[in-house]
Amino acid sequence: MARRPLSAGLTGGVGLARGREFARSAAYHAADVLHPLISVARGLGVLARGGLRRLTGMPADRRAPALLLACSCTVIVALVPYGPAVTAIAVMVAAGWAGRERAAGDAELDGEENERLQLLYESLVPYLSMPEDPDPLYAHGGDPEEAFLTHAFEDGRLVSLQLRYPAYFADGEAVARARVEQLLQIKAGRGREYRFDWDEEANRLTLTVLPALPTDILAQRFVTTPGETVLGFTDACSVQRTLPVVDDEGIRDEPPVVWRTGRRSTEPHLLALGRPSGGTTTLLRSIVLQALGHGDVLLIDGGGAGGYTCFPGREGVLALECSPAGALASLEWACHETERRLTAANHARQQGRPLPEDIRRPLWIVVDRPTALSHLATGEGRPDPQELLEVPLRHGRAANVTVAVADHLEHAHLLGEAVLAHTHARVILGPATPEQVRTALGAPPHTTPTPDVPPGRGYARLGSGPVHRVQVPATPDPLDEEAAEAERQAVLKLLPRATGPLYGGGVEAAPAPDAPVPYDAGTTSARDPDGTGASGAAGPVEGFGRHLGGGEPLPVQAT
């Protein structure tokens, strides 16, 4: 027997379907109408949770002043005309922005970021927790939001992070710090440079990804006073001063690392170390170009690479020595000159007269690779040239004599005790490990050195100050045809006017390599320290067939 269909009253029929559709449509319309209120409510919750998290993360001794400040601001806003209304509108706008719905891509990205933060949190558990802690801040399966105060991602990679750590963590020990920094560097991604700021008072660590320092700054006249030398440029957060620099696009401001010399300087002498092709010679060239604007320079090129061939014959360049005999003669003259300046300054002060003009004019002694000269001098049975640097280094500050020394990092142990003891301004350029940076500068860097750096990139420390990242301005040898033409022309514009024959193409020809040349060819000869004016004849120095300078020999004393 066939079944009879149920009646329309029992099934609901068309009316029930229409009721469901109407309810669904009403819910959609209500959600559209109430969407702003929902977003504002969600945003208020986000702001409240963020404020509560910041308040709980604040040290206990700072919570009461913070609450008092908030109450004072509330009273002030209430007394200002239209203050409550403007404040309410601002809070609603901020809440609407914080509670906005994000796209599906942003939600997926947030999921990846949360996963990265959770992995980073889990990896910190062995370093920032103890089994005896009843309520550990870092525990397996814990919440990263309690430990990580702020964070930021860019293109899926972590660019900044501020975290809390327990009070029992030994943040005063360099080894404990290094372990945490190394872990954060690995988890945040290799190939970038990170800065770590430890706040021991609040038990917080801030990680920041540093942008690359500009490498397009050419040699130019910087806006400095006499006695100030720009070693390079650093991060804006490291110094409180900027200098205008000129580039292809115009003028912009960059934060410099300024080295102050003279009688009032606390670090009158400089030592630069680095790998081969790391930029130490470029740094010395930049220093010489700035020093020639208001002083005299004595150049000693121990490596004999010819990186200073543009200076002989220029105004203010006293000599360029490349051989042990010439370096010894010039450094002995520098010792006598330092003593003469001290004596003249003492007599002037005793008689109540101002210092003579030649005493006030700075004298710069720039030595590149003195360890190579010491090796050659020992082989020839001559005294060590580094021993003659002791008098200018010890008494240079009072005599207005500045010494700048550069050498290879692997030869730092061959430097004399006087050089290491009196050079309080330190620079290290090129690839280096944190231990090498600590040894060279006397303090560890606040950033993580990268294995691949451009020439002239490194760290600088002036006296007992902080360690700065530094990028030396591009200052190549203008006679180097492999250098960029714009960089070569920038250096040529800064060279003083010529007072004698110059070395290089388009200038006066130099003697032939097989022709007899004066004493110590390849250098601008210095008169013997006994003041007799006699100079022994010698053949051309190997590898230097041309006469680099055409100036007069250095006098022993200028009295």
Side-chain angles (χ1 to χ4, degrees):
M1 183 176 62
R3 292 183 178 182
R4 298 178 58 184
L6 296 175
S7 62
L10 295 177
T11 59
V14 180
L16 181 58
R18 289 180 180 177
R20 291 175 179 174
E21 183 179 357
F22 177 76
R24 188 181 300 109
S25 177
Y28 288 157
H29 287 295
D32 292 339
V33 172
L34 299 177
H35 182 269
L37 297 178
I38 296 174
S39 299
V40 170
R42 188 188 304 117
L44 289 175
V46 172
L47 294 178
R49 287 192 297 272
L52 183 61
R53 188 184 306 114
R54 186 173 295 274
L55 183 62
T56 55
M58 188 178 299
D61 56 342
R62 295 185 181 180
R63 294 177 186 175
L67 293 176
L68 179 61
L69 179 61
C71 296
S72 302
C73 294
T74 303
V75 173
I76 293 174
V77 169
L79 296 178
V80 174
Y82 303 103
V86 174
T87 303
I89 293 174
V91 171
M92 292 298 106
V93 172
W97 178 260
R100 70 190 186 281
E101 293 183 355
R102 300 184 180 182
D106 294 340
E108 182 179 357
L109 186 60
D110 287 349
E112 295 179 0
E113 294 175 358
N114 293 334
E115 184 179 357
R116 288 176 177 268
L117 291 177
Q118 185 67 35
L119 292 175
L120 180 59
Y121 175 84
E122 295 286 345
S123 62
L124 288 172
V125 171
Y127 299 91
L128 300 178
S129 63
M130 293 181 63
E132 296 82 4
D133 191 353
D135 186 16
L137 182 61
Y138 290 85
H140 293 291
D143 187 7
E145 293 186 359
E146 297 181 1
F148 298 159
L149 301 179
T150 59
H151 64 273
F153 285 83
E154 184 176 341
D155 298 332
R157 304 187 70 183
L158 185 68
V159 294
S160 67
L161 174 68
Q162 186 181 35
L163 59 88
R164 299 164 54 203
Y165 56 86
Y168 52 77
F169 175 72
D171 52 3
E173 298 180 3
V175 178
R177 286 189 176 193
R179 288 199 299 263
V180 175
E181 292 177 358
Q182 184 179 6
L183 175 64
L184 292 176
Q185 179 185 1
I186 294 174
K187 293 299 182 180
R190 298 181 182 271
R192 299 185 296 177
E193 194 164 3
Y194 299 92
R195 178 184 178 90
F196 297 95
D197 295 317
W198 292 84
D199 186 359
E200 295 88 349
E201 183 179 359
N203 290 345
R204 294 183 182 182
L205 170 61
T206 303
L207 176 147
T208 308
V209 177
L210 297 176
L213 294 176
T215 58
D216 58 344
I217 301 178
L218 306 182
Q220 54 192 280
R221 298 197 182 279
F222 301 110
V223 184
T224 56
T225 60
E228 292 184 342
T229 303
V230 176
L231 300 179
F233 294 89
T234 183
D235 302 297
C237 60
S238 300
V239 295
Q240 301 178 354
R241 177 180 179 182
T242 58
L243 291 180
V245 296
V246 181
D247 56 7
D248 297 337
E249 300 179 356
I251 301 177
R252 70 175 190 267
D253 292 337
E254 292 291 343
V257 178
V258 178
W259 173 38
R260 293 174 177 84
T261 59
R263 294 184 176 87
R264 299 183 180 274
S265 174
T266 57
E267 50 276 339
H269 309 298
L270 177 136
L271 173 62
L273 299 173
R275 302 284 186 184
S277 303
T280 54
T281 302
T282 299
L283 174 62
L284 291 187
R285 267 195 300 264
S286 176
I287 291 175
V288 170
L289 288 175
Q290 298 178 63
L292 288 176
H294 51 82
D296 299 325
V297 179
L298 171 62
L299 282 166
I300 298 176
D301 185 8
Y308 305 94
T309 52
C310 60
F311 292 108
R314 301 286 180 175
E315 183 179 4
V317 180
L318 301 178
L320 171 62
E321 302 292 349
C322 303
S323 65
L328 287 170
S330 295
L331 290 178
E332 193 163 354
W333 171 86
C335 292
H336 289 290
E337 176 65 13
T338 303
E339 296 171 353
R340 183 194 70 84
R341 285 170 171 250
L342 288 174
T343 304
N346 188 23
H347 289 170
R349 293 190 185 97
Q350 290 178 356
Q351 299 175 6
R353 296 183 291 103
L355 297 180
E357 182 63 28
D358 61 335
I359 304 300
R360 292 199 300 265
R361 184 171 177 83
L363 172 63
W364 289 73
I365 303 174
V366 180
V367 186
D368 194 356
R369 295 200 63 192
T371 57
L373 277 178
S374 300
H375 178 72
L376 294 176
T378 303
E380 297 177 3
R382 300 177 184 271
D384 189 355
Q386 295 190 58
E387 297 178 358
L388 298 176
L389 285 173
E390 183 174 359
V391 174
L393 287 169
R394 187 182 299 274
H395 306 288
R397 180 173 179 268
N400 205 10
V401 177
T402 302
V403 180
V405 182
D407 214 314
H408 289 172
L409 185 61
E410 56 270 20
H411 298 157
H413 63 283
L414 300 177
L415 292 172
E417 296 182 0
V419 175
L420 296 176
H422 295 89
T423 51
H424 300 296
R426 299 289 183 91
V427 179
I428 181 170
L429 301 176
T433 62
E435 292 76 14
Q436 291 174 335
V437 176
R438 177 196 292 269
T439 303
L441 304 183
H446 295 289
T447 63
T448 55
T450 55
D452 300 326
V453 294
R457 169 71 174 81
Y459 297 91
R461 188 188 186 203
L462 304 177
S464 59
V467 178
H468 302 288
R469 291 201 308 165
V470 66
Q471 176 65 49
V472 178
T475 315
D477 183 7
L479 304 180
D480 183 9
E481 297 180 354
E482 297 181 359
E485 183 64 24
E487 298 176 357
R488 296 169 57 189
Q489 293 298 325
V491 175
L492 288 174
K493 292 179 181 178
L494 297 179
L495 289 174
R497 64 182 182 90
T499 58
L502 302 178
Y503 176 84
V507 296
E508 181 177 340
D514 54 349
V517 293
Y519 171 73
D520 282 335
T523 67
T524 302
S525 305
R527 190 175 295 177
D528 62 308
D530 295 333
T532 59
S535 58
V541 178
E542 182 180 357
F544 291 88
R546 296 186 176 183
H547 184 60
L548 301 184
E552 293 294 327
L554 281 172
V556 178
Q557 294 185 358
T559 54

